[in-house]
Amino acid sequence: MTTKNQDELFGTAPIRRILLKTAPPVMLAQLIQALYNIVDSFFVGKYSTDALTALTVIYPLQLIIIALAVGTGVGTNTYMARKYALNQPKKADAAAGTGMVLAVVMWAVLAIVSVCIMQPYVKTSASSPAAIDAAVTYGIIVSVGSLGSFLEGNWTKVHQAQGNMRLPMLAQITGALINIIFDPLLIFGVGFFPKMGVAGAAIATVLGQVAAAIITGIKGFRKPPALRELGHYAKKIYFYGYSSIFMQGLYILALNIILAGFSDAAVTVLGLYYKLQSFFFIPLFGLQTCIVPVISFNLARKNYSRCKRTMNLSFLISALFMVLGVICFVFFSRQMVDVFSNSQEVHDIGAQAFPIIGASFLPAVFSLMMPVFFQAIGAGVRSVFL
């Protein structure tokens, strides 16, 4: 997309039209991702309760991978949008290339650290020997195989900084569908596929991530700048992205460790909640993705009224959709838990916890959108504080 086209999309088009054009592809991709998470938990839950606990124990680690990948991508996205607004496309491309280098470095560090600490980490959140073994197996595979997730996180944001939401949508849908197809084949050993249990679920996840990375990388790849310039661009990227990394990465990790002191079933319920709530938070998360380049672009142009209109409309749309989540979690909590687990303990904990959490969904519209606003304008400290 040329700078002129970006100006027409982000700088002059009505805000409602921008969100209607950019948000639906993101929401559709996230819908497919949410369905994948639910299907994944369904198949693994049918395989064994210990395997379902293993997925829940490793889920915080997967969130940390996503936080590092997407947070770095958000920093790249925000900085690129500013440079496009100032008609400096070469600097935007240099930032995109730097983001790719950072993605590879983060993957290498995380893979090495994960292999070294996986078993001690798992033992903080699970007590059953079978659950511990399954979690270690699943965790090592998804950590070492997470390069696709890191690269896709960067290349997706490169496209979104240019206003291209359709290609990332196609990539994420393709990755999720590959994951969904291979899940039962590799978990249960259908046809000539071996029965691999929880390891099969992990391999299916990696295959989906690699497919998404290939699709976004074909046009998202940018040549990194000279070595002496990498530090400059990396500093800018993390200036805009560190709050996103912090917000996404730490919360559920702390909760898992706390709940492990009660029972494995409590940890399982937490994992089910996060996968189910992501389904209802799709409009909010989709808008979070779309407003960052719009606000960053208009802030660089000092067009503050458009930034304000963007936030007001995002609040309204998110609140309307969140009402549905409140209804489901408050009034249909038992039915939602029953889909994934036959454990009476998981059923009882979920029936108590889900209505309480669901009641917080409407306030979450503001508590989750405002940090993204501060992140988009470069006020990372306020974003982390909120």
Side-chain angles (χ1 to χ4, degrees), residues 298-309:
N298 284 286
L299 185 73
R301 293 284 181 89
K302 302 187 185 302
N303 198 339
Y304 306 125
S305 62
R306 288 178 63 80
C307 296
K308 183 177 180 179
R309 287 200 299 274

Side-chain angles (χ1 to χ4, degrees), residues 277-347:
Q277 67 96 27
S278 66
F279 185 81
F280 295 99
F281 276 57
I282 284 170
L284 191 151
F285 292 152
L287 288 169
Q288 282 183 332
T289 298
C290 295
I291 67 174
V292 169
V294 177
I295 292 174
S296 182
F297 187 97
N298 284 286
L299 185 73
R301 293 284 181 89
K302 302 187 185 302
N303 198 339
Y304 306 125
S305 62
R306 288 178 63 80
C307 296
K308 183 177 180 179
R309 287 200 299 274
T310 301
M311 289 304 300
N312 287 342
L313 189 57
S314 299
F315 285 142
L316 177 61
I317 295 172
S318 299
L320 291 175
F321 279 99
M322 290 301 286
V323 171
L324 178 61
V326 174
I327 293 172
C328 290
F329 271 83
V330 171
F331 297 106
F332 300 100
S333 57
R334 292 182 179 274
Q335 293 86 338
M336 293 168 71
V337 175
D338 283 348
V339 173
F340 302 99
S341 177
N342 297 323
S343 166
Q344 186 61 43
E345 187 179 5
V346 170
H347 181 280

